[in-house]
């Protein structure tokens, strides 16, 4: 198979045994498939098509699924796709992704023509998820000095890399011309660069590493490199993770958890006034994502985090559910079981993570799981009968 080839999928529809929600497995459990990172655009605006990664061709490549037809077209080919960081343009005309940690590419979804937008210099390596601004005219990304780089295929390497203090730089790239510029750099592991939606002057990034060793995880910087400031000073025994901008740009939302505690807290940071506020307690979810205006959040229940040094101090019971949180009502309900293993698989620390997000109409949740075999994509409709819970 190669770019342009079509794959017919046979959906498997079931009812969640605990909530009664309708759950559809979109991809076959004998072929590794997964979704992109949870805050990257993957659906067409009308919900008709879905971007995902699949190993139908022997490599992890990008596919575009026509949901009604259950047919996917292969968009990329060959080895080296960063299949977590890719995203669709706001007008549903193009895919952007990074190949071989080296080239940022654009794929025209009508013609499948591909062009190189930007090439990482030889002395650097393109790392992690690169994120566009709201009108998709530019993006921010992280480059790590090639002399410091190590492929981070498991959690031990993740821990070791933190102590190396790699030389990293946060850059911006013009998606039309490929022109680039460095916003910020330092000898510390940087990750998760994200433009604030509808505010190109504000960029979030993080100090990456084991959460209980990082000084302060979340930071903001102006696009011109000025005014580097931390989002929050961590309390004693506090770790913060999986921050994201609410898609309307109103707040930066993140997960906070304390050593020795089972539950976690959802926080919201208002960058206009520099204030953090607790939103509501929640079960031990790992990732969070919101709908467009932040009125609803979805999270994936997890177990003891692997991205901390002191796993004994952060030991928690495994939670196999997807949850939706109502921010105004301060309550939540279970959607369905994800039952993923969270295991490192095929040299990937991320492929079994659910990374849940809402469909464009907020009626269902997209997620990945390996509960039926190899990692696969699922869509769970919000259950009609909902048992409301209070944390």
């Amino acid at each position: 198979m190669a770019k342009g080839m079509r794959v017919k999928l046979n959906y498997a529809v079931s009812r969640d045994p605990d909530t009664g929600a309708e759950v559809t497995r979109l991809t076959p459990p004998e072929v590794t498939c997964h979704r992109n990172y949870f805050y990257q655009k993957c659906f067409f605006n009308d919900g008709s098509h879905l971007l995902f990664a699949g190993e139908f061709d022997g490599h992890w490549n990008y596919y575009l699924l026509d949901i009604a037809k259950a047919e996917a077209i292969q968009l990329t080919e060959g080895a080296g796709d960063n299949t977590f960081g890719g995203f669709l343009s706001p007008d549903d005309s193009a895919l952007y992704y990074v190949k071989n940690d080296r080239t940022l590419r654009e794929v025209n979804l009508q013609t499948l023509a591909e062009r190189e937008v930007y090439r990482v210099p030889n002395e650097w390596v393109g790392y992690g998820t690169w994120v566009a601004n709201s009108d998709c005219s530019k993006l921010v990304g992280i480059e790590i000095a090639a002399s410091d780089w190590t492929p981070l295929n498991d959690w031990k390497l993740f821990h070791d890399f933190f102590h190396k203090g790699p030389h990293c730089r946060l850059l911006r790239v013009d998606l039309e011309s490929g022109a680039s510029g460095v916003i910020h750099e330092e000898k510390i592991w940087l990750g998760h660069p994200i433009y604030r939606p509808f505010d190109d002057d504000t960029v979030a990034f993080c100090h990456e590493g084991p959460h209980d060793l990082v000084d302060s995880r979340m930071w903001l910087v102006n696009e011109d490199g000025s005014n580097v400031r931390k989002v929050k000073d961590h309390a004693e025994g506090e770790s913060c993770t999986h921050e994201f901008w609410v898609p309307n740009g109103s707040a930066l939302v993140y997960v906070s958890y304390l050593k020795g505690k089972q539950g976690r807290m959802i926080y919201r940071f208002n960058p206009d006034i520099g204030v953090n506020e607790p939103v509501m307690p929640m079960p031990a979810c790992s990732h969070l994502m919101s709908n467009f205006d932040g009125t609803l959040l979805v999270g994936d229940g997890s177990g003891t985090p692997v991205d901390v040094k002191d796993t004994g101090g952060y030991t928690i019971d495994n939670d196999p559910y997807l949850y939706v949180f109502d921010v105004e009502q301060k309550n939540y309900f279970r959607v369905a079981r994800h039952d993923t293993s969270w295991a490192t698989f095929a040299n990937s620390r991320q492929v079994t993570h659910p990374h849940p997000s809402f469909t464009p109409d907020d009626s269902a949740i997209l997620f990945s799981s390996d509960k039926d075999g190899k990692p696969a994509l699922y869509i769970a409709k919000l259950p009609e009968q909902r048992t409301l819970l209070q944390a």
Side-chain angles (χ1 to χ4, degrees):
M1 296 176 63
K3 182 191 289 194
M5 296 297 289
R6 297 180 182 272
V7 179
K8 188 67 177 177
L9 300 178
N10 296 308
Y11 299 161
V13 181
S14 61
R15 290 282 175 182
D16 184 86
D18 295 343
T19 69
E22 181 181 292
V23 180
T24 301
R25 192 185 69 232
L26 303 175
T27 59
E30 68 274 9
V31 178
T32 299
C33 297
H34 69 87
R35 61 154 307 162
N36 60 353
Y37 208 51
F38 63 96
Y39 51 61
Q40 296 283 67
K41 177 176 162 65
C42 59
F43 282 102
F44 274 17
N45 297 320
D46 63 2
S48 64
H49 290 69
L50 171 65
L51 177 73
F52 74 98
E55 198 184 11
F56 297 96
D57 191 25
H59 301 289
W60 292 10
N61 294 126
Y62 280 103
Y63 292 78
L64 186 66
L65 172 63
D66 183 320
I67 296 176
K69 293 182 179 179
E71 184 178 78
I73 184 170
Q74 186 173 342
L75 303 178
T76 64
E77 62 186 359
D81 292 5
N82 179 336
T83 49
F84 293 94
F87 59 90
L88 299 174
S89 61
D91 63 359
D92 298 333
S93 69
L95 158 69
Y96 291 92
Y97 76 105
V98 173
K99 188 87 164 179
N100 294 316
D101 303 324
R102 183 62 55 197
T103 59
L104 172 65
R105 299 187 178 189
E106 177 194 74
V107 180
N108 183 302
L109 297 183
Q110 290 297 317
T111 67
L112 301 189
E114 195 161 338
R115 74 177 180 100
E116 180 179 303
V117 177
Y118 168 79
R119 178 172 288 268
V120 177
N122 289 337
E123 62 271 23
W124 297 88
V125 172
Y127 166 72
T129 300
W130 294 20
V131 181
N133 62 346
S134 293
D135 64 7
C136 205
S137 60
K138 51 191 171 180
L139 56 68
V140 284
I142 298 292
E143 292 178 339
I144 299 178
S147 57
D148 290 333
W149 173 246
T150 301
L152 303 174
N153 297 331
D154 61 40
W155 289 107
K156 182 182 184 305
L157 293 171
F158 175 90
H159 286 249
D160 293 345
F161 198 64
F162 167 78
H163 294 286
K164 180 181 286 189
H167 184 187
C168 297
R169 63 184 189 180
L170 166 63
L171 75 156
R172 63 181 178 276
V173 177
D174 185 287
L175 289 177
E176 182 61 35
S177 69
S180 65
V182 175
I183 297 173
H184 176 70
E185 65 180 305
E186 55 184 314
K187 287 278 293 182
I188 193 170
W189 189 5
L190 305 179
H192 280 228
I194 326 173
Y195 271 110
R196 183 185 182 186
F198 309 105
D199 174 13
D200 291 354
D201 188 49
T202 304
V203 178
F205 66 96
C206 80
H207 286 181
E208 187 62 275
H211 299 156
D212 52 340
L213 298 183
V214 170
D215 53 353
S216 291
R217 176 179 169 89
M218 300 164 296
W219 297 75
L220 301 181
V221 60
N222 292 353
E223 191 189 38
D224 63 5
S226 64
N227 194 20
V228 177
R229 64 264 191 206
K230 67 179 66 174
V231 169
K232 182 180 186 179
D233 286 310
H234 293 191
E236 183 69 26
E238 181 184 25
S239 295
C240 298
T241 185
H242 291 124
E243 66 282 353
F244 67 91
W245 289 109
V246 174
N248 69 1
S250 59
L252 187 77
V253 173
Y254 59 94
V255 180
S256 168
Y257 59 102
L258 295 171
K259 184 175 180 178
K261 301 293 185 181
Q262 173 76 19
R264 300 186 172 191
M265 180 67 73
I266 302 170
Y267 271 89
R268 176 172 51 205
F269 175 72
N270 184 332
D272 298 324
I273 58 177
V275 172
N276 284 282
E277 62 174 346
V279 175
M280 60 184 293
M282 69 171 183
C285 293
S286 179
H287 307 87
L288 274 180
M289 187 58 201
S290 74
N291 60 352
F292 180 78
D293 62 4
T295 55
L296 296 175
L297 302 167
V298 59
D300 48 6
S302 63
T304 301
V306 293
D307 41 6
V308 295
K309 181 178 186 297
D310 180 14
T311 53
Y314 289 87
T315 299
I316 56 176
D317 297 332
N318 187 60
D319 187 323
Y321 292 100
L322 298 169
Y323 295 94
V324 164
F325 303 89
D326 186 311
V327 172
E328 182 178 355
Q329 299 299 321
K330 310 295 184 189
N331 57 33
Y332 65 97
F333 58 90
R334 291 170 174 163
V335 176
R337 301 179 67 97
H338 62 71
D339 281 328
T340 200
S341 70
W342 297 93
T344 296
F345 176 79
N347 290 323
S348 172
R349 296 175 292 112
Q350 299 282 340
V351 71
T352 61
H353 293 191
H355 292 144
S357 66
F358 290 93
T359 55
D361 63 1
D362 295 348
S363 69
I365 304 301
L366 171 71
F367 66 101
S368 300
S369 173
D370 63 355
K371 65 178 181 175
D372 292 329
K374 292 183 177 181
L377 265 80
Y378 297 78
I379 290 181
K381 291 184 178 180
L382 302 191
E384 296 179 3
Q385 302 297 322
R386 304 170 185 177
T387 301
L388 298 181
L389 307 169
Q390 298 282 345

